[in-house]
Amino acid sequence: MNVPINLSSFQSQIWQQTKLAQLCGQQKLFHERYEVLRMIGRGGFGVTFLARDVSLPGQPPCVIKQLLPKVSDPSVLAKVRSRFQLEAQMLAKLGNHSQIPMLLDYFVAEGEFYLVQEYVRGVHLVKLVRRCGCLSEKALKSFLNNILPLLDFIHNNGVIHRDIKPQNIICCQDDGRLVLIDFGAVKEVIAQTKDTSDSTTTTHFVGTVGFAPPEQFSLRPTFGSDIFALGVTCLYLLTGKAPLEFSTNPQTGELKWADAVELSDSLAEILGKMLKVSVNKRYKSARAILAALELEPHRTQLANCMVANHQPISDKAGINQEERNLSEFCPPAAKAAITIREWKQRRRRKQQGYHNHIIPSLS
């Protein structure tokens, strides 16, 4: 096998490791239907290529992800193949959502695992921030209201993404929707392989340093792990700074981010809870964050109501002080009822006074 001389050492390594790289720009089809065009991504657990499905009308573009490493042990391959199929089927189910790329195909060939997904035209959020600048508070709320229902959908299907970060969120060129890519569950299947050269099981961390919370490093990710990663993503969108650029509290491990952003107290409190190091102190669900965001515009008004000082009502008003305070926060119908009751009390008092005045004069 002759390696092209015009490749860098990095490209040369990929060319030797992946069959797809060797097919780039060639007439030969992969899996008898895919024309491989170019490499578009490289991570710890796979290489991603842009291809064209020549078997379909219009030869639509697609993305082929070759998962690494290759599994050569037959006994291990059978186990991994079974889990790979289960996870791929779940990914196919999630792909019915408009903000998740559709899974078009998955297969195993010569010990290599492949996923074929819909190609989403657009740019990921890192490029978007570099081109257009950081988000305002208003834009960040819009982002959260857009991405949180998607996260709620994923979690309701029992799936943890494991690798939420700006690079894995694409702003679609066609309609501006946000699309979440590169789910970690399938990668974890490949990562947990047994090396037959010794008796130990090799398990690799799936995620991205800086975005993954402590429990994920312990290989015990939860739904809250995705919430933490989304919180760190928000920090990047607000500041343009990677998570490792923030210092941490040496006692708690919490990121020191408050001085780097300009947010209302209520939104800062929401973001702070998303970023808690302890999973028990974080939001338990995406839906809970959505509820907090919905309440957020009214929190200042509610806080003012809680601490409002009211002038005492004179005894002549004929109404209980507590009832008067409550009336200021009641619906219009309740306020009207209180007003009528006050009027009736004043009228009764006036009639009583008239009665007390008239009766003695007649006696």
Side-chain angles (χ1 to χ4, degrees), residues 190-201:
I190 308 303
Q192 296 179 345
T193 59
K194 187 173 181 180
D195 187 349
T196 55
S197 63
D198 59 41
S199 60
T200 62
T201 298

Side-chain angles (χ1 to χ4, degrees), residues 199-264:
S199 60
T200 62
T201 298
T202 303
T203 305
H204 297 277
F205 160 74
V206 176
T208 300
V209 175
F211 290 89
E215 73 272 7
Q216 195 166 334
F217 282 97
S218 301
L219 307 182
R220 293 180 175 87
T222 67
F223 296 142
S225 304
D226 285 345
I227 289 174
F228 181 90
L230 182 59
V232 180
T233 297
C234 289
L235 283 185
Y236 175 81
L237 297 178
L238 288 168
T239 66
K241 295 173 63 175
L244 297 181
E245 294 182 56
F246 292 92
S247 59
T248 57
N249 186 314
Q251 293 182 322
T252 64
E254 305 278 354
L255 291 173
K256 294 182 178 179
W257 56 270
D259 292 338
V261 301
E262 293 185 7
L263 295 176
S264 62

